[in-house]
Amino acid sequence: MRVGIGFDAHRKKVGRPLVLGGITIPSPWGLEAYSDGDVVAHAMLDALLGAANLGDKGRHFPPGDPRFKDIRSLRLLEETSRLLAASGFRISNIDVSVVCEEPKLAPHISQMEKALAAALGVSRNQISVKATTTEGMGFAGRGEGIAALAVALLESESTR
Ligand code: MG
């Protein structure tokens, strides 16, 4: 078994779609990014790659590379899932906390988990997404952006 941690944060930007956990959430603002700005998927990517000791998402999907301009981050999770399988890893589970003052994410959590699980080729109960706030403190609390933390557990087929 191998565990990995991931963190990401993006700045709020008016007029962009808000994509979180692979779904678009109704909002007058989204997150500034080279990709779709999906902090949930990005934190998961780093957790998965970290658990496999395969570097970080910037190494595999460098920002500025035209192949990844405005890319849906679910595609990056699909690609990472293939990479993990090719390296002899199976995903055991992933747990995510989204740090977000608004919008309220509770109505969207189940749809996020479904989209993320489908992209990774795992079952729904292997993916957990939770939302929290910082009670007004810090950048997330002031509504300047959204952050996400993830942990991933992998099972290795070999004894590396
Ligand atoms: Mg990011």
Side-chain angles (χ1 to χ4, degrees), residues 5-24:
I5 185 170
F7 172 80
D8 197 22
H10 282 265
R11 188 182 298 274
K12 181 171 165 176
K13 187 173 184 185
V14 172
R16 289 234 336 157
L18 179 61
V19 181
L20 286 178
I23 65 166
T24 303

Side-chain angles (χ1 to χ4, degrees), residues 16 23 30 47 51 56 58 75 109 121 144:
R16 289 234 336 157
I23 65 166
D56 63 22
R75 300 286 88 80
I109 294 288
E144 294 169 15

Side-chain angles (χ1 to χ4, degrees), residues 46-124:
D46 267 352
L48 289 165
L49 291 167
N53 200 5
L54 287 170
D56 63 22
K57 67 184 184 313
R59 174 171 139 197
H60 295 272
F61 313 110
D65 183 327
R67 286 179 299 161
F68 307 123
K69 175 75 181 148
D70 293 325
I71 194 168
R72 287 188 68 202
S73 297
L74 282 187
R75 300 286 88 80
L76 307 182
L77 283 173
E78 288 170 4
E79 180 60 32
T80 299
S81 173
R82 284 191 286 273
L83 184 67
L84 293 173
S87 305
F89 292 107
R90 276 194 313 272
I91 295 168
S92 177
N93 76 297
I94 304 172
D95 185 28
V96 187
S97 281
V98 193
V99 186
C100 174
E101 209 72 29
E102 59 164 8
K104 288 285 168 251
L105 298 183
H108 308 289
I109 294 288
S110 151
Q111 215 190 329
M112 284 188 216
E113 290 174 344
K114 187 176 170 187
L116 294 163
L120 291 167
V122 300
S123 66
R124 283 283 295 281

Side-chain angles (χ1 to χ4, degrees), residues 8-10 33 35 37-39 42 57:
D8 197 22
H10 282 265
S35 67
D38 187 341
V39 290
H42 293 182
K57 67 184 184 313

